[in-house]
Amino acid sequence: MESPHGAPRGISVTAENFGLKGPRGWAFRGVRVDAEPGALIAVEGPSGTGRTCLLLALTGRMRPTEGHASVGRMRLPKQMAAVRRISALGPVPGVTDLDPALTVQEHIHERALLQRRFGGSLRSLLRPRAERRASTKERIDSALAAAGLDLDVLPKGPRTSVRDLERLEALRLSVALALIGEPRLLGVDDVDLKLSDAERAEAWALLRSVAESGPTVVAVCSEAPEGAVVVSTAAAREEAQNDQDDQSAESGAAGDDSGAEDRVDGNETKGAADAIAETGRA
């Protein structure tokens, strides 16, 4: 999936000191990303370290509370709506779940209708019906090919229900549905969940192929593959916690010396006050 001019459709993703705090504390904090267009970005870490929240924040679906990030020339959180327009989500539990009662063909038809109605320009809606159908078919065929999903090999072909798909087939379907919109940034959650070693290798090969020929891919996983741009939420959380512990220790030390003003000069007193202020802001 390339632009008409032959340039890759991927987009750069950068972040510095990126964090998101919710009602129960920090979902993630201190994240740094530096990825070129068309990169495969692996968000690595154990469950519960804010991996999905980071994925949603980088694709413009959750508002960060600290630091900054850029998707191409678009800044987060200021231009979240613009980032959403050029990004798409593959499988994200609780956000883009496939309906197990629907068939593969029904999911594809539904996504194509939504894309034509809400994702296209007014000019595209005014084109002749035959031209619109041909364009839609081309988008679908391209998305299915990029996702490596061959409908003919499914148990009941296009009429196969989602509940009858293997996990890897469901992943391919979710990716294909996202690619129908021709995004420049694709988010995929839990890539390696409940997959065998062989299936995991196949899933990463799929996403690497998508990134090389189409959008930049951000994929959540427990273990990143070789060659990916790795962003560790566990490491970022540990570093942020260490910083907070250091600040707390400095605050405690300042408190212990608060009654010994005759042993410190004005500069040391000011330094202790600054440490306490920094701890409060953290």
Side-chain angles (χ1 to χ4, degrees), residues 27-141:
F28 62 86
R29 194 179 189 189
V31 170
R32 183 180 183 277
V33 185
D34 187 7
E36 298 292 329
L40 173 59
I41 305 169
V43 179
E44 179 187 67
S47 179
T49 57
R51 304 176 309 174
T52 301
C53 291
L54 176 56
L55 172 71
L56 295 176
L58 290 174
T59 54
R61 271 86 176 167
M62 292 188 77
R63 181 176 293 276
T65 52
E66 183 177 77
H68 59 83
S70 297
V71 178
R73 295 183 179 180
M74 293 164 282
R75 301 276 289 181
L76 293 171
K78 186 176 181 180
Q79 295 175 287
M80 290 175 61
V83 172
R84 287 196 297 271
R85 284 194 292 271
I86 59 92
S87 64
L89 296 178
V92 180
V95 181
T96 59
D97 301 279
L98 299 173
D99 189 331
L102 294 182
T103 66
V104 172
Q105 185 61 55
E106 287 170 336
H107 271 290
I108 293 172
H109 181 65
E110 178 186 58
R111 182 59 60 90
L113 287 176
L114 290 172
Q115 175 62 32
R116 187 171 65 190
R117 177 64 180 84
F118 300 105
S121 64
L122 178 60
R123 178 178 296 180
S124 66
L125 292 174
L126 298 176
R127 291 185 300 178
R129 179 176 297 180
E131 188 176 336
R132 293 201 307 269
R133 286 180 175 175
S135 177
T136 297
K137 185 178 184 304
E138 183 178 355
R139 277 178 177 251
I140 292 173
D141 290 345

Side-chain angles (χ1 to χ4, degrees), residues 3-282:
S3 71
H5 302 289
R9 293 190 57 85
I11 195 165
S12 62
V13 179
T14 61
E16 191 68 38
N17 197 32
F18 204 45
L20 188 153
K21 189 175 184 180
R24 298 184 179 180
W26 290 99
F28 62 86
R29 194 179 189 189
V31 170
R32 183 180 183 277
V33 185
D34 187 7
E36 298 292 329
L40 173 59
I41 305 169
V43 179
E44 179 187 67
S47 179
T49 57
R51 304 176 309 174
T52 301
C53 291
L54 176 56
L55 172 71
L56 295 176
L58 290 174
T59 54
R61 271 86 176 167
M62 292 188 77
R63 181 176 293 276
T65 52
E66 183 177 77
H68 59 83
S70 297
V71 178
R73 295 183 179 180
M74 293 164 282
R75 301 276 289 181
L76 293 171
K78 186 176 181 180
Q79 295 175 287
M80 290 175 61
V83 172
R84 287 196 297 271
R85 284 194 292 271
I86 59 92
S87 64
L89 296 178
V92 180
V95 181
T96 59
D97 301 279
L98 299 173
D99 189 331
L102 294 182
T103 66
V104 172
Q105 185 61 55
E106 287 170 336
H107 271 290
I108 293 172
H109 181 65
E110 178 186 58
R111 182 59 60 90
L113 287 176
L114 290 172
Q115 175 62 32
R116 187 171 65 190
R117 177 64 180 84
F118 300 105
S121 64
L122 178 60
R123 178 178 296 180
S124 66
L125 292 174
L126 298 176
R127 291 185 300 178
R129 179 176 297 180
E131 188 176 336
R132 293 201 307 269
R133 286 180 175 175
S135 177
T136 297
K137 185 178 184 304
E138 183 178 355
R139 277 178 177 251
I140 292 173
D141 290 345
S142 177
L144 291 174
L149 183 62
D150 186 350
L151 303 185
D152 293 333
V153 303
L154 298 178
K156 296 181 181 179
R159 296 185 179 182
T160 303
S161 297
V162 167
R163 65 166 59 94
D164 296 326
L165 295 177
E166 299 292 338
R167 174 159 171 75
L168 194 55
E169 292 172 337
L171 171 63
R172 291 186 183 278
L173 174 59
S174 291
V175 169
L177 295 176
L179 293 179
I180 288 176
E182 297 184 342
R184 300 187 66 189
L185 179 65
L186 172 66
V188 180
D189 198 11
D190 286 337
V191 172
D192 51 6
L193 181 65
K194 297 181 180 179
L195 293 181
S196 66
D197 291 343
E199 291 171 332
R200 188 177 296 114
E202 192 172 345
W204 284 119
L206 160 64
L207 296 181
R208 186 174 286 107
S209 173
V210 169
E212 288 173 351
S213 60
T216 300
V217 176
V218 182
V220 168
C221 61
S222 59
E223 184 177 353
E226 292 185 5
V229 177
V230 181
V231 180
S232 174
T233 53
R237 172 171 290 191
E238 183 178 353
E239 183 177 348
Q241 184 62 47
N242 290 339
D243 290 343
Q244 187 172 351
D245 291 343
D246 290 343
Q247 290 174 352
S248 297
E250 292 175 5
S251 176
D256 290 342
D257 290 340
S258 61
E261 294 179 356
D262 58 321
R263 292 189 291 109
V264 296
D265 60 21
N267 289 334
E268 289 173 336
T269 302
K270 183 178 182 300
D274 289 344
I276 295 173
E278 286 298 326
T279 303
R281 283 198 290 271

